[in-house]
Short mmCIF file of all heavy atoms in Angstrom, two decimals:
data_model
loop_
_atom_site.label_atom_id
_atom_site.label_comp_id
_atom_site.label_asym_id
_atom_site.label_seq_id
_atom_site.Cartn_x
_atom_site.Cartn_y
_atom_site.Cartn_z
N ALA C 953 178.00 -67.48 -65.80
CA ALA C 953 177.30 -67.48 -64.51
C ALA C 953 175.80 -67.62 -64.78
O ALA C 953 175.24 -66.87 -65.58
CB ALA C 953 177.59 -66.20 -63.75
N PRO C 954 175.13 -68.57 -64.14
CA PRO C 954 173.69 -68.74 -64.35
C PRO C 954 172.89 -67.53 -63.86
O PRO C 954 173.18 -66.97 -62.80
CB PRO C 954 173.35 -69.97 -63.51
CG PRO C 954 174.65 -70.67 -63.28
CD PRO C 954 175.69 -69.60 -63.26
N ALA C 955 171.90 -67.12 -64.66
CA ALA C 955 171.06 -65.97 -64.31
C ALA C 955 169.61 -66.37 -64.07
O ALA C 955 168.75 -65.50 -63.98
CB ALA C 955 171.13 -64.93 -65.43
N GLY C 956 169.32 -67.64 -63.97
CA GLY C 956 167.94 -68.08 -63.77
C GLY C 956 167.73 -68.57 -62.36
O GLY C 956 168.71 -68.72 -61.62
N PRO C 957 166.50 -68.77 -62.01
CA PRO C 957 165.29 -68.57 -62.81
C PRO C 957 164.97 -67.09 -62.99
O PRO C 957 165.36 -66.25 -62.18
CB PRO C 957 164.21 -69.28 -62.00
CG PRO C 957 164.72 -69.31 -60.60
CD PRO C 957 166.21 -69.32 -60.69
N ALA C 958 164.27 -66.79 -64.10
CA ALA C 958 163.90 -65.42 -64.41
C ALA C 958 162.53 -65.40 -65.07
O ALA C 958 162.16 -66.32 -65.80
CB ALA C 958 164.94 -64.78 -65.33
N ARG C 959 161.78 -64.33 -64.82
CA ARG C 959 160.43 -64.16 -65.38
C ARG C 959 160.53 -63.78 -66.85
O ARG C 959 161.20 -62.83 -67.22
CB ARG C 959 159.70 -63.06 -64.61
CG ARG C 959 158.27 -62.84 -65.00
CD ARG C 959 157.59 -61.89 -64.04
NE ARG C 959 158.28 -60.62 -63.93
CZ ARG C 959 157.99 -59.53 -64.63
NH1 ARG C 959 156.99 -59.54 -65.48
NH2 ARG C 959 158.67 -58.42 -64.46
N VAL C 960 159.86 -64.55 -67.72
CA VAL C 960 159.89 -64.29 -69.16
C VAL C 960 158.94 -63.15 -69.49
O VAL C 960 157.74 -63.23 -69.22
CB VAL C 960 159.52 -65.55 -69.98
CG1 VAL C 960 159.57 -65.24 -71.47
CG2 VAL C 960 160.46 -66.70 -69.64
N VAL C 961 159.48 -62.08 -70.06
CA VAL C 961 158.68 -60.90 -70.42
C VAL C 961 158.65 -60.66 -71.93
O VAL C 961 157.95 -59.76 -72.38
CB VAL C 961 159.17 -59.63 -69.70
CG1 VAL C 961 159.07 -59.80 -68.18
CG2 VAL C 961 160.59 -59.27 -70.11
N LEU C 962 159.43 -61.45 -72.69
CA LEU C 962 159.53 -61.24 -74.13
C LEU C 962 159.96 -62.55 -74.79
O LEU C 962 160.75 -63.30 -74.23
CB LEU C 962 160.57 -60.16 -74.43
CG LEU C 962 160.86 -59.83 -75.89
CD1 LEU C 962 159.63 -59.26 -76.58
CD2 LEU C 962 162.02 -58.84 -75.98
N ALA C 963 159.43 -62.79 -75.99
CA ALA C 963 159.85 -63.93 -76.80
C ALA C 963 160.29 -63.40 -78.17
O ALA C 963 159.72 -62.43 -78.67
CB ALA C 963 158.73 -64.94 -76.96
N VAL C 964 161.31 -64.04 -78.74
CA VAL C 964 161.79 -63.70 -80.08
C VAL C 964 161.72 -64.97 -80.93
O VAL C 964 162.20 -66.02 -80.52
CB VAL C 964 163.24 -63.17 -80.04
CG1 VAL C 964 163.79 -62.98 -81.45
CG2 VAL C 964 163.34 -61.88 -79.24
N ASP C 965 161.13 -64.85 -82.12
CA ASP C 965 161.03 -65.97 -83.07
C ASP C 965 161.99 -65.70 -84.22
O ASP C 965 161.74 -64.82 -85.05
CB ASP C 965 159.60 -66.10 -83.57
CG ASP C 965 159.41 -67.27 -84.52
OD1 ASP C 965 160.41 -67.88 -84.96
OD2 ASP C 965 158.24 -67.56 -84.85
N LEU C 966 163.10 -66.42 -84.26
CA LEU C 966 164.10 -66.22 -85.30
C LEU C 966 163.76 -66.94 -86.60
O LEU C 966 164.47 -66.77 -87.59
CB LEU C 966 165.48 -66.67 -84.79
CG LEU C 966 166.04 -65.85 -83.64
CD1 LEU C 966 167.39 -66.40 -83.20
CD2 LEU C 966 166.15 -64.37 -84.00
N ASP C 967 162.69 -67.71 -86.62
CA ASP C 967 162.28 -68.42 -87.83
C ASP C 967 161.47 -67.53 -88.77
O ASP C 967 161.29 -67.86 -89.94
CB ASP C 967 161.47 -69.67 -87.51
CG ASP C 967 162.33 -70.78 -86.95
OD1 ASP C 967 163.56 -70.75 -87.15
OD2 ASP C 967 161.77 -71.67 -86.29
N ARG C 968 160.96 -66.44 -88.26
CA ARG C 968 160.16 -65.52 -89.08
C ARG C 968 160.82 -64.15 -89.06
O ARG C 968 161.34 -63.73 -88.03
CB ARG C 968 158.73 -65.41 -88.55
CG ARG C 968 157.99 -66.75 -88.60
CD ARG C 968 156.54 -66.61 -88.25
NE ARG C 968 156.38 -66.37 -86.82
CZ ARG C 968 155.26 -65.90 -86.26
NH1 ARG C 968 154.22 -65.60 -87.00
NH2 ARG C 968 155.19 -65.75 -84.96
N THR C 969 160.78 -63.46 -90.19
CA THR C 969 161.42 -62.15 -90.31
C THR C 969 160.36 -61.06 -90.32
O THR C 969 159.35 -61.17 -91.02
CB THR C 969 162.26 -62.07 -91.60
OG1 THR C 969 163.25 -63.10 -91.55
CG2 THR C 969 162.95 -60.73 -91.74
N GLU C 970 160.61 -60.01 -89.55
CA GLU C 970 159.70 -58.87 -89.51
C GLU C 970 159.85 -58.08 -90.81
O GLU C 970 160.97 -57.78 -91.24
CB GLU C 970 160.04 -57.97 -88.32
CG GLU C 970 159.09 -56.82 -88.13
CD GLU C 970 157.66 -57.29 -87.96
OE1 GLU C 970 157.36 -57.89 -86.92
OE2 GLU C 970 156.84 -57.04 -88.88
N THR C 971 158.71 -57.75 -91.43
CA THR C 971 158.74 -56.98 -92.67
C THR C 971 158.22 -55.56 -92.47
O THR C 971 158.48 -54.70 -93.31
CB THR C 971 157.91 -57.68 -93.76
OG1 THR C 971 156.56 -57.85 -93.30
CG2 THR C 971 158.51 -59.04 -94.11
N ALA C 972 157.51 -55.32 -91.40
CA ALA C 972 156.95 -53.99 -91.16
C ALA C 972 157.96 -53.10 -90.42
O ALA C 972 158.67 -53.56 -89.54
CB ALA C 972 155.67 -54.11 -90.33
N ARG C 973 157.98 -51.85 -90.80
CA ARG C 973 158.85 -50.90 -90.10
C ARG C 973 158.36 -50.66 -88.68
O ARG C 973 159.15 -50.57 -87.74
CB ARG C 973 158.90 -49.59 -90.88
CG ARG C 973 159.78 -48.57 -90.23
CD ARG C 973 159.89 -47.31 -91.04
NE ARG C 973 160.70 -46.34 -90.33
CZ ARG C 973 160.87 -45.11 -90.72
NH1 ARG C 973 160.29 -44.68 -91.84
NH2 ARG C 973 161.60 -44.29 -90.02
N MET C 974 157.06 -50.53 -88.51
CA MET C 974 156.43 -50.30 -87.21
C MET C 974 155.37 -51.39 -87.00
O MET C 974 154.18 -51.16 -87.19
CB MET C 974 155.79 -48.91 -87.15
CG MET C 974 156.77 -47.77 -87.34
SD MET C 974 157.85 -47.56 -85.91
CE MET C 974 156.72 -46.83 -84.76
N PRO C 975 155.78 -52.59 -86.61
CA PRO C 975 154.83 -53.71 -86.53
C PRO C 975 153.83 -53.55 -85.38
O PRO C 975 154.13 -52.91 -84.36
CB PRO C 975 155.74 -54.92 -86.29
CG PRO C 975 156.95 -54.35 -85.64
CD PRO C 975 157.13 -52.98 -86.22
N GLN C 976 152.67 -54.14 -85.58
CA GLN C 976 151.69 -54.22 -84.52
C GLN C 976 152.21 -55.16 -83.44
O GLN C 976 152.99 -56.07 -83.72
CB GLN C 976 150.36 -54.75 -85.06
CG GLN C 976 149.69 -53.83 -86.07
CD GLN C 976 149.24 -52.53 -85.44
OE1 GLN C 976 148.66 -52.51 -84.36
NE2 GLN C 976 149.51 -51.43 -86.12
N ALA C 977 151.76 -54.95 -82.23
CA ALA C 977 152.16 -55.83 -81.13
C ALA C 977 151.63 -57.24 -81.38
O ALA C 977 150.51 -57.41 -81.86
CB ALA C 977 151.63 -55.28 -79.81
N ARG C 978 152.45 -58.22 -81.10
CA ARG C 978 152.07 -59.64 -81.21
C ARG C 978 152.28 -60.28 -79.86
O ARG C 978 153.14 -59.85 -79.09
CB ARG C 978 152.99 -60.37 -82.20
CG ARG C 978 152.87 -59.99 -83.62
CD ARG C 978 153.85 -60.86 -84.44
NE ARG C 978 153.80 -60.53 -85.83
CZ ARG C 978 154.55 -59.59 -86.40
NH1 ARG C 978 155.42 -58.92 -85.68
NH2 ARG C 978 154.43 -59.34 -87.69
N ASN C 979 151.56 -61.36 -79.62
CA ASN C 979 151.76 -62.15 -78.40
C ASN C 979 152.00 -63.60 -78.75
O ASN C 979 151.60 -64.08 -79.81
CB ASN C 979 150.55 -62.05 -77.47
CG ASN C 979 150.48 -60.73 -76.76
OD1 ASN C 979 151.50 -60.17 -76.36
ND2 ASN C 979 149.28 -60.19 -76.61
N PHE C 980 152.65 -64.28 -77.83
CA PHE C 980 152.93 -65.71 -77.92
C PHE C 980 152.45 -66.33 -76.63
O PHE C 980 152.72 -65.81 -75.54
CB PHE C 980 154.46 -65.89 -78.08
CG PHE C 980 154.92 -67.31 -77.99
CD1 PHE C 980 154.71 -68.19 -79.04
CD2 PHE C 980 155.59 -67.77 -76.88
CE1 PHE C 980 155.15 -69.49 -78.97
CE2 PHE C 980 156.04 -69.08 -76.79
CZ PHE C 980 155.81 -69.94 -77.85
N ASP C 981 151.70 -67.44 -76.72
CA ASP C 981 151.21 -68.10 -75.51
C ASP C 981 152.33 -68.98 -74.94
O ASP C 981 152.79 -69.91 -75.58
CB ASP C 981 149.99 -68.96 -75.82
CG ASP C 981 149.47 -69.62 -74.56
OD1 ASP C 981 148.90 -68.92 -73.70
OD2 ASP C 981 149.67 -70.85 -74.41
N LEU C 982 152.76 -68.65 -73.74
CA LEU C 982 153.82 -69.39 -73.07
C LEU C 982 153.29 -69.85 -71.72
O LEU C 982 153.05 -69.04 -70.83
CB LEU C 982 155.06 -68.52 -72.89
CG LEU C 982 156.29 -69.17 -72.30
CD1 LEU C 982 156.77 -70.33 -73.18
CD2 LEU C 982 157.41 -68.16 -72.12
N ALA C 983 153.07 -71.14 -71.61
CA ALA C 983 152.56 -71.74 -70.37
C ALA C 983 151.28 -71.07 -69.91
O ALA C 983 151.08 -70.85 -68.72
CB ALA C 983 153.63 -71.68 -69.28
N GLY C 984 150.42 -70.73 -70.87
CA GLY C 984 149.13 -70.14 -70.54
C GLY C 984 149.17 -68.63 -70.29
O GLY C 984 148.18 -68.05 -69.87
#
């Protein structure tokens, strides 16, 4: 069942692996 449109509140990058146990907050620019 389609669940969109929906407001994007989080992005996940599966190409990079987190190495920190408690990482600092990061942001990604999405449509400004």
Side-chain angles (χ1 to χ4, degrees):
R959 184 171 56 95
V960 180
V961 299
L962 178 63
V964 174
D965 182 350
L966 295 179
D967 287 340
R968 298 187 287 164
T969 301
E970 185 57 69
T971 58
R973 180 176 177 187
M974 299 288 286
Q976 295 293 316
R978 292 181 181 88
N979 285 322
F980 172 75
D981 182 72
L982 184 61

